[in-house]
Amino acid sequence: MEAKDIKAFCKKNNISYKDLSTFIGFTEPSLRTILSSGKISPQVEASINLLKENYRLKEELKDWQTFKEMIKKIS
């Protein structure tokens, strides 16, 4: 994982670096230093990957809830 991947994830999900740093347990200045140096630790990478999975699963859940509501209306 590279800094550009993290930046793209934040942009796509409208997450500020401050929010992201809170989510993964870092301070904002520490996160900015990590991103500017390009030295992504395994801990940061794992945290980001878990956060990505969480966002993906939330979207999938929304789709299933929509499907559920459609079935209720048909029945």
Side-chain angles (χ1 to χ4, degrees), residues 43-64:
Q43 178 188 1
V44 171
E45 185 171 352
S47 296
I48 298 293
N49 285 333
L50 287 171
L51 193 57
K52 284 181 177 183
E53 183 178 8
N54 186 286
Y55 272 77
R56 183 186 60 77
L57 290 171
K58 283 182 180 181
E59 285 301 313
E60 191 174 313
L61 180 61
K62 285 180 188 177
D63 293 343
W64 281 107

Side-chain angles (χ1 to χ4, degrees), residues 25-37:
F26 281 80
T27 63
E28 183 181 0
S30 295
L31 179 63
R32 288 187 180 277
T33 301
I34 290 167
L35 294 176
S36 66
S37 70

